[in-house]
Amino acid sequence: MTTPRSSLRLVLAAALAAGTVVLAGPAGAAPAPAVRTCGNADLTASYHGGEGAAGHTYGRIRLTNTSDSSCRVRGFGGLSYVGGGDGTQVGAAADRTGKTTPAVTLRPGQRVVSRVDELDAGNFPRKQCRPTAVDGFRVYVPDATRSQFVEHATTGCRDDEVHLLSHRSFRRP
């Protein structure tokens, strides 16, 4: 005896075998578009800082979606000091601290932040640090190979064994 449920199974099996089944959502609903990963051209980097304590200064690198469409950001970017008026890296790149945060979808105008911890170059012996003027940060957005310059005058260490910078994964403010 064939039941309505077994008849449906037979029809579906036959349709699958013929390659004619199309699965759809609710009537009239369009499939959700995939949100692309933000690229360097989609985001503008800036630095907002300043509270300090015991030889540290804390701030935030902010990435703002300046494109005309939504895009997604996930994880860590890259961060280092640059100087010499020509973008030459000064000292070690920033250490990554904490865990990678979940992906964040940014509509145009929205932003994510990464907390930055800067150690004072004066915390290290001059001979080890070799203090030098810093013009700002080189900032890489996550998954990008081109960087942005963000002005931030300070003093860094030329010795790349001295780690003055650390930062966290990008997240909503």
Side-chain angles (χ1 to χ4, degrees):
M1 174 170 164
T2 305
T3 66
R5 180 169 271 184
S6 65
S7 295
L8 178 60
R9 283 188 191 136
L10 288 172
V11 169
L12 282 174
L16 280 171
T20 58
V21 171
V22 176
L23 299 176
V35 178
R36 65 186 175 75
T37 299
C38 296
N40 194 46
D42 300 310
L43 302 169
T44 300
S46 59
Y47 177 72
H48 302 271
E51 54 206 61
H56 292 258
T57 301
Y58 301 100
R60 292 185 182 340
I61 292 291
R62 180 184 293 166
L63 300 177
T64 303
N65 181 355
T66 52
S67 76
D68 294 332
S69 62
S70 294
C71 58
R72 183 174 38 85
V73 174
R74 180 174 188 268
F76 291 91
L79 182 68
S80 60
Y81 282 141
V82 293
D86 60 4
T88 300
Q89 184 168 321
V90 174
D95 296 323
R96 296 172 171 182
T97 59
K99 296 179 181 178
T100 298
T101 55
V104 175
T105 298
L106 299 175
R107 292 189 311 271
Q110 289 187 318
R111 60 185 177 245
V112 289
V113 295
S114 170
R115 182 173 183 229
V116 176
D117 180 358
E118 297 177 84
L119 287 172
D120 187 322
N123 291 345
F124 298 88
R126 288 184 66 77
K127 196 171 190 175
Q128 177 189 9
C129 172
R130 299 186 330 226
T132 190
V134 167
D135 300 326
F137 294 113
R138 175 180 294 135
V139 178
Y140 288 91
V141 304
D143 301 319
T145 57
R146 302 189 97 187
S147 64
Q148 298 182 35
F149 171 75
V150 175
E151 190 173 335
H152 177 65
T154 190
T155 302
C157 294
R158 276 185 286 205
D159 186 334
D160 61 6
E161 296 295 317
V162 177
H163 291 249
L164 296 181
L165 292 172
S166 64
H167 68 118
R168 294 189 173 272
S169 181
F170 283 97
R171 64 171 181 76
R172 291 216 183 270

